[in-house]
Every structure is written in structure tokens, then in C-alpha cells.
Amino acid sequence: MTMGAIIRAGERLTSCHYALDEAQWDAMLASPPLWFVAHWCDAHRVYALFLEHERPLLASTELLDGRYLALSRNLPAAEWPERMAQDLWGVQPMFARDLQPLIDRDAWTRTAPLSPRPGPGGVAGLPAESPEPFFEVGGPLALAARHLSLGYAHRGLLRRLRGATPEEGLRQVGRISAGGFVAHPLAYCRAVEQALGARVPAAGRDGRIVLAEIERIGVHLHDIAACAQQTGARLLATHAALARERLADLAVEHGATRRLTDMLTPEGIAPDIAAPAPALALAAEAMMAERMGHLIMLHRASASHLRGVARLSLAQVERFNIGGLAARATGRSFDCRQQEDDHRYLAGRAGSLIEGDALARERLRLREIRDSLRRLRRVADGFGAEWPEGGSVAPSGEGIGAAEGPRGDIWYWVRLRAGRIDAIHVRDPAFSLAPLLPRLLDPSIDTLVLSSFGFSAAALEL
């Protein structure tokens, strides 16, 4: 049996969530794997989220005395999530590849802080001899030991979200990463809406698309400017930075915040931006259309500096289940936007490349900006058109939401109880790339490598 068939043989809890017994879980682990997305725990169960035919499929099984059969036996990409689950919930993955702590650096006041019975911790605050946040040796962007060290800037977000109302949680998830002020809230809202069986109005749906595509353009411009600055292409860096700032000015002129923070609401988008959203889409499209030719010309003049830098192979993408632009620049074509219910505004015409290096990632950013401009025009021209048939789900109290952020696919799982968040999990694309990142860095150009991936360490410290 395939992994998908084994999972679906379990007890169906929601439209895509199946509960497995221990034997079924073991059989699932022994089968050829589906694309792995995320792994987490709660007080009683362990969860694994996969993609089957590019659609989410969630399996869970009961913890037995705080233990479960480790996914990492056959799924190398599950190693870090297992270690994080061990630190946060105190669970024990049996036969795991690595049982070393990932984020608990003996600096917490309580161990296993998300478990029903947290234990005593080390000391309050960071130890005086602690290294810089995120990286083990040297400055915050140096990896002389070829090892990423997390935990020193852990924010305890998941614990703070538990017990919050969906509206209270929305503001917190909007601050997770500077590359996802729209994308993170969008994935979160979709998870909550699936749990409630709710649907936003058509204008709210289209307003969210406008904001998400403008964020994508802005973050791509930021990453292009950062790479250009590192390679000495200062004219390209200046033009990309100026275009990003003009995009921010347009957002303010149309009632939004500069970086689109707090613009999503449970009903769609903030009232101040709801009416001007089509005009903002057209203004952003017109402004960027004027600048694209110059940006492409400047990129071509400096492209040689990016060729061969931090080359990612398709085998590495598949082993670590990396998504987003980094994967699309290496031959994988998946884009969460292609799975949205309303296909009139389908994205993804930018396609994929196969070279896998920093040059391919920059070329794809420019192509995706053009794709976003086309999408903004289509959405503005048909803004607020009614939903197509189908797509609604019955309320189950549990939901999975995804959004294709500028740097990759973002996933949320939410369980609601009595109108509040009973449990939640967040998977940022940085979490898939991080285990592989030390192998790709070169001490002489490590900042360029990080910029070429658009890597955000903050997104790991939840």
C-alpha cells in the first residue's frame, strides 16, 4: 500500500486528517514517503503533515507514555521537527536519527513548556557565555563550525497563542517574519476559516490576493537588492531598493501600512484598504511595469557574480522537502497558489528553473515579479466577482491553512475549542532549508548565500 492509502485507512477525523493506531503508524513509516511538510505534538497525540498530489494529508497517532515511533527513520526532513517536539512537549521519538536538543539550551525557566506538566528549567534568561543568537560560532551570520544553533532567541509564540481568540492570535502571527506580514496571517486565517467552515466575502478574498502579491514583489525586490549589494552591483541594489520604497509609499497612499502589517482581518482585509484595493493593485502594476526593463538590464550586467553560488541540487530539495522559490529554481514546480479554489487568478506562469544556484533564484524572482503584476491586473479587473461553485467545508473545529509566501510555502494547523485556540502549529519555509544551510555556506560569501535564499532566522525562533 502507498503511504496515502495507509493513512486513509485510519479513522477519518476531518476532511484530510486521519487517526492511526500504532501498527498503522508503523506501516506508514515503512512505506515510500509522500512529500513531508511538518511534524508536531500536543498533549496526547503526534502529527505528521504530508502532501499527496499537492494536497494536504494529515496523520496522527496517540502518544504511548509520551513515546512514539520516530518519523526520521525514513524521513530525514523530520529530524529537526522531532527534536523541536522533544524540547517543547517532552515527548520521546523512538529510533530517531538524533535526540540532541534543538532549541532547549538549558536557558529556559521550564523544560517541555508546552506539555501538561512542564519541568524545572535551567536558569532565567540567557547564560552569560551564550553565543550570538541563531548561529553557534562568530557573528550572527557566521557558521565557522558548520552548525546552526537555535533557541537563544526563542519567542514562545505557540504557548502565547494557546487560549487566545482567533482575532487575538491574528496580530501575533503577523509579526513572525518580515518576509511574511501578509503570508503568515493569510495561512493562519485559512486554517481558522476551515476549522469554522467559514468563507470570506469575494471582495475580501481578492483584497487578500492584492496584498499578498504586493508583499511578494516587495520581498523579492528586497532580496534582489541584498544580493546586488553583496556582489558590488550597487546600481541594481539602489534601483531595487527604490522600487520597494515606492511600493511602500503606494500602500500608504491607498490606506495600508508600509509593509502591509495588520491588513488582514477575519472578514477579509482591513476596512481602510478594502475599497482602495483595486486601485492599489493597478498603481503597483503600473509603477513596477515602468521599472522592470531597467531592473532586468541591470541584473544581466551583474549576473555572472551569482552563477554557481550556493547551488542546490534536486536531490537535496527532495531529501529535505524544501519548497518555495529555492525549490522552483532547482526543478520543483509546486506553488501553493495553484491550489486555491478560485482559478481565474491562477498564478505560476513564472514556472521553474533547474540550475539551483543564486543566479537561478534571482532570475526566478524577476520572473515571479512579472507574474505578480499580471495577477494584480487580472484581480483588479474582476475585483469582487462571486466565488466559483464548491470549495466550502463543514465546520470541524480543526483546520489546515497554507499560503505561498515570497520565500516559500507557509503552513498552519489550528484546533479551536469554545471559540479559542486549543492547539496550533506553524511551519515557516525557513525550517525546511535550515538543516541544509550550513552545507551551502562559504565563509567568504556567507551573507550573499543567506541573501540569495532570502533566509530569515527569526522565522525559526517561534
Side-chain angles (χ1 to χ4, degrees):
M1 294 177 68
T2 65
M3 179 181 277
I6 293 170
I7 293 173
R8 289 191 300 276
E11 178 188 359
R12 185 174 181 178
L13 301 181
T14 69
S15 60
C16 61
H17 180 189
Y18 295 82
L20 311 185
D21 60 27
E22 186 178 16
Q24 290 171 322
W25 184 266
D26 192 23
M28 178 191 77
L29 298 180
S31 63
L34 294 170
W35 189 270
F36 173 77
V37 176
H39 162 52
W40 67 95
C41 296
D42 62 18
H44 306 290
R45 304 187 71 80
V46 55
Y47 301 81
L49 179 61
F50 302 94
L51 287 180
E52 182 186 43
H53 306 304
E54 301 187 342
R55 294 287 184 177
L57 184 62
L58 177 62
S60 69
T61 191
E62 287 189 12
L63 291 165
L64 302 175
D65 296 323
R67 298 180 176 89
Y68 68 98
L69 294 172
L71 284 86
S72 63
R73 289 186 300 166
N74 292 329
L75 290 167
E79 180 183 312
W80 271 37
E82 281 178 352
R83 293 168 63 193
M84 179 172 282
Q86 180 180 249
D87 290 350
L88 293 177
W89 283 278
V91 296
Q92 297 179 31
M94 295 184 291
F95 311 111
R97 286 173 175 259
D98 190 347
L99 292 173
Q100 294 298 312
L102 180 68
I103 57 175
D104 184 354
R105 300 295 172 181
D106 201 29
W108 294 349
T109 56
R110 291 185 296 177
T111 60
L114 296 185
S115 70
R117 293 182 294 277
V123 295
L126 293 178
E129 69 275 15
S130 68
E132 293 284 345
F134 312 126
F135 297 96
E136 179 146 10
V137 175
L141 296 178
L143 284 131
R146 296 280 172 182
H147 180 69
L148 207 61
S149 185
L150 306 178
Y152 294 104
H154 187 72
R155 289 177 275 180
L157 176 69
L158 299 182
R159 183 171 182 83
R160 295 201 309 274
L161 287 171
R162 282 166 46 177
T165 65
E167 293 78 10
E168 291 168 345
L170 182 57
R171 181 174 175 82
Q172 294 190 60
V173 302
R175 298 298 193 277
I176 284 177
S177 170
F181 290 142
V182 175
H184 269 278
L186 180 55
Y188 167 82
C189 285
R190 287 172 172 168
V192 171
E193 287 152 13
Q194 186 181 95
L196 297 173
R199 249 183 159 184
V200 298
R205 170 208 66 202
D206 289 352
R208 288 176 174 182
I209 293 175
V210 168
L211 297 178
E213 296 307 319
I214 289 176
E215 177 175 71
R216 187 180 322 280
I217 295 168
V219 173
H220 281 351
L221 289 170
H222 172 274
D223 293 341
I224 290 170
C227 288
Q229 193 68 37
Q230 294 299 320
T231 59
R234 292 184 175 82
L235 192 56
L236 174 58
T238 298
H239 278 269
L242 288 174
R244 181 175 183 244
E245 287 307 297
R246 180 58 189 144
L247 201 62
D249 291 341
L250 287 174
V252 173
E253 291 169 13
H254 289 81
T257 53
R258 287 181 61 78
R259 302 302 179 208
L260 306 180
T261 51
D262 302 323
M263 288 293 99
L264 266 64
T265 70
E267 296 76 29
I269 59 175
D272 289 347
I273 191 63
L280 172 59
L282 293 175
E285 189 264 346
M287 183 275 293
M288 285 302 305
E290 291 180 357
R291 298 171 184 247
M292 284 304 297
H294 204 51
L295 288 170
I296 291 170
M297 179 188 69
L298 292 171
H299 152 75
R300 289 173 177 165
S302 61
S304 61
H305 297 289
L306 299 175
R307 184 170 288 111
V309 172
R311 190 183 299 277
L312 192 64
S313 71
L314 186 58
Q316 289 171 320
V317 166
E318 293 174 343
R319 178 177 174 82
F320 290 93
N321 297 133
I322 296 168
L325 182 136
R328 289 193 293 277
T330 314
R332 187 175 182 242
S333 61
F334 178 70
D335 185 321
C336 277
R337 294 175 295 170
Q338 296 167 353
Q339 305 303 313
E340 294 175 0
D341 290 332
D342 192 340
H343 289 275
R344 293 173 302 153
Y345 308 142
L346 188 64
R349 291 176 61 183
S352 60
L353 299 171
I354 62 172
E355 293 83 0
D357 58 3
L359 177 57
R361 290 187 285 276
E362 178 144 321
R363 287 174 57 203
L364 198 54
R365 284 189 179 99
L366 290 165
R367 285 166 58 168
E368 290 198 355
I369 289 174
R370 282 196 180 277
D371 190 50
S372 291
L373 297 180
R374 286 191 289 263
R375 199 175 194 215
L376 286 173
R377 168 65 66 173
R378 292 197 302 271
V379 172
D381 289 345
F383 196 87
E386 288 304 313
W387 281 92
E389 293 297 323
S392 61
V393 296
S396 64
E398 178 183 309
I400 296 171
E404 187 67 35
R407 292 166 177 162
D409 47 320
I410 295 167
W411 293 84
Y412 276 74
W413 171 80
V414 174
R415 187 173 65 222
L416 303 177
R417 188 166 294 168
R420 292 184 177 271
I421 298 172
D422 179 59
I424 186 169
H425 183 72
V426 183
R427 204 282 279 164
D428 185 271
F431 209 76
S432 297
L433 181 62
L436 180 63
L437 193 60
R439 308 181 194 185
L440 300 172
L441 285 165
D442 181 326
S444 63
I445 56 168
D446 53 6
T447 305
L448 172 59
V449 172
L450 293 168
S451 298
S452 80
F453 284 109
F455 182 74
S456 170
L460 300 174
E461 295 285 11
L462 303 180

